Amino acid sequence: DAGITQSPRHKVTETGTPVTLRCHQTENHRYMYWYRQDPGHGLRLIHYSYGVKDTDKGEVSDGYSVSRSKTEDFLLTLESATSSQTSVYFCAISGGQRNNEQFFGPGTRLTVL
Amino acid sequence: QQPVQSPQAVILREGEDAVINCSSSKALYSVHWYRQKHGEAPVFLMILLKGGEQKGHEKISASFNEKKQQSSLYLTASQLSYSGTYFCGTDTGTASKLTFGTGTRLQVTL
């Protein structure tokens, strides 16, 4: 299995509070991704990174920010959590070549009350 | 825009075959297929590249029609372990990122 972990695995928070999710990899892969998964929507890309300090928006980036200061860590921050951000969040990594698969972390279940 | 998958759900008896389709409105460079079991992370199955190259699972096959921007995943002689939700992810070649479909839920019964 690819060395990818997410923390925390579960979190319950209140509307308006800041939340940071962490993705950590030991594979030295260049690309890292944050997705959210909601019933009926599949996996939707929030942000991705193609190198240290190099990030770009995905299709559902509003309300989220990311940072990557080291190859192995990719942080997702909800500056002021809303109930619509209740979801399961998956981090994924990839070598970045066109024929490279993405490896997914175990996921973080976030509930915003 | 997310690719469209069909069917949305299918129930099979063990040993039966199934086909899952993925269709995009955009020109594609590659199509990825993943399977997710309940409560778990998605797991890679296959990549189909423009030009015909394939990479992935030994017991699952797939096709990629570049002209129609369509891909199909073929599950033959299904096993109970094939149960799960199948996602296609499409790459338009403009960046190393995928757009996933909404998934096809497959249930294999005895």
Side-chain angles (χ1 to χ4, degrees):
Chain A
D1 291 342
I4 177 170
T5 58
Q6 292 183 231
S7 58
R9 294 292 313 279
H10 302 271
K11 186 172 182 65
V12 179
T13 191
E14 294 187 351
T15 298
T17 59
V19 176
T20 296
L21 308 182
R22 181 184 183 230
C23 178
H24 179 77
Q25 62 145 330
T26 58
E27 304 296 320
N28 199 34
H29 279 352
R30 177 183 177 191
Y31 281 76
M32 299 185 75
Y33 309 84
W34 276 109
Y35 295 93
R36 61 177 292 173
Q37 185 172 38
D38 306 288
H41 292 278
L43 294 154
R44 293 181 292 174
L45 183 65
I46 305 171
H47 282 281
Y48 68 103
S49 170
Y50 47 95
V52 174
K53 297 186 179 180
D54 292 323
T55 65
D56 205 351
K57 296 179 179 180
E59 57 190 294
V60 290
S61 60
D62 287 348
Y64 301 94
S65 63
V66 290
S67 65
R68 191 171 179 196
S69 59
K70 299 185 291 185
T71 298
E72 56 265 36
D73 289 325
F74 192 32
L75 303 180
L76 177 70
T77 298
L78 292 66
E79 299 291 347
S80 178
T82 67
S83 58
S84 65
Q85 293 176 312
T86 292
S87 186
V88 178
Y89 292 84
F90 285 101
C91 175
I93 61 175
S94 170
Q97 300 300 316
R98 289 294 179 212
N99 61 346
N100 278 13
E101 61 267 42
Q102 293 188 13
F103 299 98
F104 285 81
T108 294
R109 182 173 295 275
L110 176 68
T111 302
V112 184
L113 301 175
Chain B
Q1 189 172 4
Q2 291 181 276
V4 177
Q5 287 186 233
S6 62
Q8 289 185 322
V10 58
I11 300 175
L12 299 174
R13 290 188 184 274
E14 196 174 26
E16 292 182 337
D17 301 338
V19 180
I20 300 173
N21 300 302
C22 175
S23 179
S24 174
S25 60
K26 299 182 179 181
L28 300 177
Y29 178 86
S30 69
V31 179
H32 296 217
W33 286 96
Y34 292 78
R35 177 171 61 207
Q36 183 180 29
K37 294 187 179 288
H38 183 69
E40 299 181 5
V43 174
F44 167 77
L45 293 176
M46 292 196 72
I47 292 177
L48 300 106
L49 298 169
K50 188 176 181 179
E53 182 180 351
Q54 294 188 14
K55 172 184 172 182
H57 207 282
E58 292 181 355
K59 295 186 178 181
I60 296 175
S61 62
S63 64
F64 178 23
N65 186 324
E66 298 170 27
K67 291 183 179 180
K68 293 185 177 181
Q69 294 94 53
Q70 294 176 348
S71 178
S72 295
L73 187 70
Y74 305 98
L75 304 168
T76 57
S78 59
Q79 305 170 18
L80 294 176
S81 62
Y82 286 9
S83 294
T85 301
Y86 289 77
F87 293 98
C88 68
T90 55
D91 178 1
T92 59
T94 56
S96 290
K97 61 180 182 177
L98 300 176
T99 302
F100 284 92
T102 55
T104 295
R105 183 176 297 178
L106 178 76
Q107 182 180 354
V108 181
T109 63
L110 290 172

